[in-house]
Each structure stands twice: as C-alpha cells, then as structure tokens.
Amino acid sequence: MNDEVRPFRIALLGVGRIGVMHARLLVQHPLVKELVLADVSAERAAQAAAELGCEHAPIEQVLDAANPLGLEGLVIATSTSTHADLLVRAAEIGLPTYCEKPIAMTLDDAVRAQRALEAAGLPHHIGFHRRFDTGYTRAKALVESGELGEVRRIHAVTADPFPPADEFVPTSGGIFVDCNAHDFDILRWVLGREIVEVYSTGAARGRAIFAESNDFSDAVTLVTFDDGTVGSVQASRYNGQGYDVRLDVMGTDGAANVGLDNKAPLRSVEDGVAYPPEDAWFDFIERFRPCYERELDHFLRNPMIGQPGACTAADAVQALRIALACNRSRDEHRPVRVDEIA
Ligand SMILES: NC(=O)c1ccc[n+]([C@@H]2O[C@H](COP(=O)([O-])OP(=O)(O)OC[C@H]3O[C@@H](n4cnc5c(N)ncnc54)[C@H](O)[C@@H]3O)[C@@H](O)[C@H]2O)c1
C-alpha cells in the first residue's frame, strides 16, 4: 500500500458522460502522473485518450490481477450495473478505488461489493459529490452547532432540465436509485440521522421510456427520520427552468437553505423582487464541477495513501437501501420502512 502523496498512475474505466469529465480533471491534476482510459467501447477510450493526451488500454489489462499496466489506483465511471463486479475485482487486485454512485442496482450486489472491500481493507470512496459542496457543508455545520435548534422538517429537490438518453433510463436503476440517492446520502450526512421510512409517488410523463421502464419522470417521497424529523424529497427529469438542486432545513431556532444562489432555477413573481440575477444552472456538470474536482483531489490525497474515503461502501449501501424502499413504496402504494429492505 502507498503511504505518501505523490503523482500516481491511475486507470479510469467508463468514458461516458461523467467519465470524460473525471478524465479531464484527472489529467490536469498534479497528483496524476499517468492516466489510462478503458471502456467496453475501445474506440471511445482511444478517442478520448487522443483528445486528452493520455493512454488507453483494453479493460482486461486494467482488471488483470497481475497488474501488467503497473496501475496504482482505479476510477470507476461505468454504467451502474457494472459497479459491484468492478469493486469486487478492485478489491482482489488491491487497487484503491473511486467508484461513481450508486454502488449497485440491487442490495445483494451492493452488500457483496461492500463485503469484498471491507474484507480486503481496500481504501475506497463512492462518488456522492455533494459532501464536497460548500453549501451542504455549511448546512451540516449549522445543524451540528445547534444554531438551527432542533431540526423538525426538511425539503430536498433534485431536478434535471431534460431527460437522459432513452438507452440510459432502463440501465439507471430508476429515478430514486439514480437521482434521489444523492439526496438520501446528503440528508444522512447533513442531519447525521437515519431515514427510517419512505412513502413515494410519482408519474411517468413525457417520453414513453419512463412508463416502459416502470420508472417515474417526476417523483415525490415523504421521509421520516429516526428522531421524528419529517420531510419531502422531489425529483424530476423535466425541470424546464434549469438544473435544480436545493435543500431546506427547518429547525426550532432557524432555517437554512442550500441552492438558493444567483443561478437558482426559480423565478420570483413577487413585487420588487428581481430574483435570480443570473441565468439558471444548465446541468450537473456546470453546477457541481468544483465538487467533482475536490472529490477527486480527496481520493488522490486519502484513499490513494491508504486512508478511508469520505463516503464509504457502507454509506452507499444505506443510500441504496432507502432508494429501494422508495421503489417498493411506488410498487405497493404504501409507506415502507427502510429496514424492510434487507
Ligand atoms: N456523481 C454524479 O453526479 C453522477 C452524474 C452522472 C452519472 N453518474 C454515474 O456515473 C455512472 C456513469 O454514468 P454516465 O452518465 O457517464 O453513463 P454513460 O452511459 O454516459 O457512460 C458509461 C460508460 O461506461 C462504459 N462501460 C459500461 N460498462 C463498462 C465496463 N464493464 N467496463 C468499461 N466500460 C464500461 C460505457 O461504454 C460508457 O462509455 C453511472 O453509475 C451514473 O449513475 C454520477
């Protein structure tokens, strides 16, 4: 295991929407000596490598237990259904790993990956990037300091301005696993409490792929925490005003908001209020790019030298469990206790 921060030789698997962004950030990072890209589409990996001036290699070489490429760390940005097997493989090879969220599509796969990582003692981080956002970090500090008093209610929103490609929808795990998993992780982190019950509803509107995939385009979940705090969590694939990610935390002594910034995709219709002053956030990359940068930097400075990541497999399994409880609530039209998902 490495024990010093120095430039590393890293491989990145999956050169799609987010993989390309991570690759761009990694090639510019002073702690990345060499970057090797791999994808099931060898052509896509070769093209991205040519654009970024880095290496590319077949997936089999990246995942070869003999480590013929001399890799020191791994970034997984492949489709969600592949994460668990790749994490298990990373544990077998012994490569410190950053893996995109969600950890898996099913609880069995997620727990299998968690157990493999823990048994190998493999340093890892799962990509819930909001933990590196300044707004969420300040909200957490306000909750922890007691300045908001006793937190009683929350409201969280994650809404994309336009839906992903049709091919992505059936592979995404659905809106709760793919989209609201971010909210469930950050709510656990900001409040330091566990969600114990969810009650979800929604609608499949717009493109037919949502109904065909037993998915929602727009969804609302009522959540209850272990201390009785209640809240609502929304998601949409069709938020025309822009990319909307917000959190309201309301306590007995005060309230805090994340996301009501100069680019919030809301338009005030009140007299004398001209808000917001700037164009709305376009997408997750524009809104959260600094968080992805900080998150990769965290990976390079911590898991890469044997330290634990800020978001562990155990955290990611819990976020998935909550999202799967939402799926059950959707299917059975009833409130579902999170511990039913076992
Ligand atoms: N943290 C975030 O904000 C965020 C944002 C977007 C996507 N994601 C996550 O990142 C992952 C990828 O999403 P995306 O939107 O980039 O998807 P995408 O479909 O654009 O890209 C996935 C890439 O992985 C490749 N791939 C699939 N299986 C592979 C395998 N076994 N080995 C190597 N390459 C493989 C595909 O060919 C494709 O190029 C998903 O799990 C998604 O949930 C996270």
Side-chain angles (χ1 to χ4, degrees):
M1 188 69 67
N2 300 305
D3 58 2
E4 56 166 332
V5 176
R6 56 175 174 75
F8 299 108
R9 181 165 164 81
I10 305 281
L12 182 144
L13 281 173
V15 194
R17 268 187 326 162
I18 199 143
V20 166
M21 184 198 66
H22 286 331
R24 283 204 183 100
L25 296 174
L26 286 166
V27 285
Q28 293 165 7
H29 199 290
L31 291 177
V32 176
K33 186 173 55 175
E34 287 133 358
L35 181 66
V36 182
L37 304 181
D39 196 291
V40 277
S41 163
E43 193 187 334
R44 195 175 297 166
Q47 195 182 345
E51 278 165 26
L52 295 174
C54 62
E55 299 171 45
H56 64 98
I59 306 167
E60 301 72 36
Q61 284 188 20
V62 172
L63 299 177
D64 186 332
N67 195 3
L69 298 173
L71 299 169
E72 296 172 283
L74 182 64
V75 174
I76 299 172
T78 54
S79 322
T80 300
S81 61
T82 66
H83 292 178
D85 284 346
L86 291 173
L87 285 168
V88 170
R89 192 73 185 131
E92 287 163 0
I93 309 171
L95 289 177
T97 297
Y98 172 118
C99 180
E100 263 309 328
K101 54 51 70 177
I103 187 169
M105 300 270 234
T106 68
L107 190 66
D108 283 352
D109 276 350
V111 170
R112 182 166 59 87
Q114 179 191 353
R115 288 195 180 133
L117 293 169
E118 289 174 355
L122 192 80
H124 62 274
H125 170 79
I126 309 295
F128 281 112
H129 61 274
R130 293 184 196 176
R131 292 179 179 226
F132 295 86
D133 179 72
T134 47
Y136 285 105
T137 303
R138 284 188 200 116
K140 179 178 172 63
L142 284 174
V143 170
E144 284 175 354
S145 70
E147 248 178 276
L148 303 182
E150 192 174 76
V151 174
R152 293 285 176 85
R153 290 170 295 121
I154 60 96
H155 176 56
V157 181
T158 296
D160 292 321
F162 42 81
D166 274 10
E167 312 85 80
F168 180 80
V169 175
T171 69
S172 71
I175 200 161
F176 300 117
V177 170
D178 180 51
C179 199
N180 281 145
H182 284 293
D183 301 282
F184 301 140
D185 177 69
I186 207 67
L187 285 171
R188 294 180 66 240
W189 187 73
V190 168
L191 298 193
R193 308 227 59 108
E194 292 295 346
I195 293 172
V196 291
E197 187 181 88
V198 297
Y199 193 7
S200 301
T201 187
R205 303 179 69 176
R207 288 196 200 146
I209 193 71
F210 293 109
E212 287 163 8
S213 311
N214 186 30
D215 196 3
F216 288 145
S217 58
D218 299 83
V220 180
T221 296
L222 300 179
V223 293
T224 306
F225 290 79
D226 54 4
D227 65 345
T229 301
V230 289
S232 53
V233 178
Q234 293 192 2
S236 178
R237 301 294 197 185
Y238 287 97
N239 195 61
Q241 187 83 15
Y243 181 66
D244 195 7
V245 172
R246 283 176 290 127
L247 171 67
D248 296 325
V249 184
M250 278 74 65
T252 49
D253 292 339
N257 166 273
V258 179
L260 218 50
D261 57 22
N262 288 345
K263 292 171 73 64
L266 289 171
R267 190 169 48 186
S268 173
V269 291
E270 297 301 337
D271 287 338
V273 179
Y275 177 86
E278 296 175 27
D279 290 343
W281 294 110
F282 175 68
D283 64 5
F284 63 93
I285 293 181
E286 187 194 20
R287 166 85 158 86
F288 285 120
R289 193 186 162 94
C291 302
Y292 298 121
E293 282 181 29
R294 287 182 210 120
E295 191 175 30
L296 285 170
D297 185 73
H298 164 81
F299 171 64
L300 293 164
R301 291 181 194 281
N302 293 274
M304 281 305 297
I305 60 160
Q307 301 298 318
C311 182
T312 63
D315 288 319
V317 166
Q318 194 55 22
L320 178 68
R321 191 176 267 125
I322 299 163
L324 294 175
C326 296
N327 282 350
R328 186 173 293 181
S329 177
R330 169 199 65 199
D331 293 341
E332 300 180 8
H333 301 290
R334 65 175 177 91
V336 171
R337 300 276 306 173
V338 174
D339 60 15
E340 280 186 38
I341 309 299

